[in-house]
Amino acid sequence: MSVIETADAEGGGSLHQRILSDIRERIMSGAWAPGHRIPFEHELSAQYNCSRMTVNKALSQLAKAGLIERRRRSGSFVRQPQSQAAVLEIHDIRVEVEALGLPYRYERVARHKRRSDAEDRALLELGAAARVLALECRHFAGKRPFAHEQRLINLAAVPEAGDEEFLGSAPGPWLIGRVPWSEAEHRIRAVAADKHIAASLDIAAGAPCLVVERRTWSAEHPVTHVRFTYAAESHTLVARFTPSQG
């Protein structure tokens, strides 16, 4: 046994923790992107001058944490972050990303105030023309795009939104903090990424995506319509039910 391994065994697993931390840091920083092959056990064993058992322990812990995927005879690979969201919840994407152990970043792509057109009125269920704010945003998990957001806000219901630039914070949490919603509707569907969505999410055109559309109302007044698009491989929707009575 090497001197380093002896220190590992006697020092509470310091070498194991070092391997664990080094690999985790490369994944979290984006240096090793999803799909990147982790060096083989024998390569890590030589790099850290330790036994394969120590390396295996670190890799097993990373796999258990969902950061890597171990494939028989192929090696270990960085996993695509897997997000889970409750179907009926109005959740904050920042919380969703940080629950994956990844740094969150938000980017406003476009902002337009305009008089509603026929499509806007259909999406918001407006009975007549009104002023709306149209926003396009991106949410990131680490260095990778996580979700593409397209949102309409009814300025008759939330006039102060017309003065907000939404450069530093996403519109979803801003709205929740200012407008108490009384009713919400969710629609979920699968689509193939068009060129615009593919470029926004850094995926191939035609790749499968999951779209979550939501409308909210406050005292029967439509507030917002939002469409979140996720790469299908990175997002899972979860619903829990109890037996109905009767």
Side-chain angles (χ1 to χ4, degrees):
M1 179 179 289
S2 70
V3 174
I4 295 178
E5 280 193 276
T6 303
D8 182 47
E10 295 177 355
S14 60
L15 182 55
H16 154 255
Q17 288 297 330
R18 179 183 162 200
I19 298 171
L20 194 66
S21 297
D22 286 353
I23 296 176
R24 183 189 289 118
E25 171 60 28
R26 288 184 174 91
I27 294 172
M28 295 301 192
S29 68
W32 287 357
H36 177 87
R37 183 181 67 77
I38 308 296
F40 288 114
E41 285 188 11
H42 71 271
E43 294 173 323
L44 290 170
S45 178
Q47 178 183 341
Y48 288 93
N49 191 23
C50 66
S51 71
R52 291 183 64 170
M53 182 180 298
T54 300
V55 171
N56 185 275
K57 180 181 177 183
L59 295 179
S60 295
Q61 192 167 338
L62 289 163
K64 187 176 180 180
L67 292 176
I68 69 171
E69 177 184 3
R70 309 194 74 182
R71 302 175 191 168
R72 188 175 179 84
R73 296 184 180 179
S74 297
S76 299
F77 299 82
V78 178
R79 286 193 63 184
Q80 180 75 30
Q82 288 289 319
S83 168
Q84 293 188 347
V87 174
L88 299 179
E89 284 186 0
I90 294 181
H91 59 280
D92 185 345
I93 291 183
R94 174 190 288 274
V95 174
E96 192 177 342
V97 169
E98 290 177 348
L100 297 171
L102 295 171
Y104 169 81
R105 182 168 67 86
Y106 158 79
E107 171 186 276
R108 193 203 75 187
V109 177
R111 176 187 182 276
H112 301 289
K113 270 196 293 189
R114 64 178 186 235
R115 186 175 177 83
S116 61
D117 58 23
E119 183 180 0
D120 297 336
R121 292 193 291 276
L123 291 173
L124 285 168
E125 291 192 345
L126 295 172
R131 299 289 294 173
V132 299
L133 180 66
L135 296 162
E136 183 178 357
C137 316
R138 292 204 297 172
H139 303 263
F140 291 80
K143 294 185 177 180
R144 294 188 59 81
F146 181 75
H148 180 265
E149 175 179 348
Q150 295 164 291
R151 183 182 292 271
L152 283 173
I153 299 175
N154 177 16
L155 292 178
V158 198
E160 60 268 37
D163 297 323
E164 279 292 323
E165 293 295 327
F166 296 106
L167 289 171
S169 59
W174 186 93
L175 284 168
I176 290 173
R178 286 163 176 78
V179 185
W181 62 274
S182 56
E183 185 180 353
E185 173 190 84
H186 282 79
R187 293 178 182 268
I188 302 160
R189 57 194 173 93
V191 301
D194 61 22
K195 289 183 178 180
H196 182 69
I197 293 296
S200 178
L201 293 177
D202 192 21
I203 57 177
C209 292
L210 187 68
V211 172
V212 179
E213 290 187 80
R214 183 172 67 239
R215 281 188 288 214
T216 57
W217 292 262
S218 179
E220 300 183 357
H221 298 293
V223 174
T224 188
H225 173 277
V226 62
R227 180 184 294 123
F228 293 110
T229 305
Y230 303 84
E233 65 181 5
S234 68
H235 201 73
T236 302
L237 290 173
V238 180
R240 179 173 293 184
F241 302 91
T242 57
S244 59
Q245 300 298 318

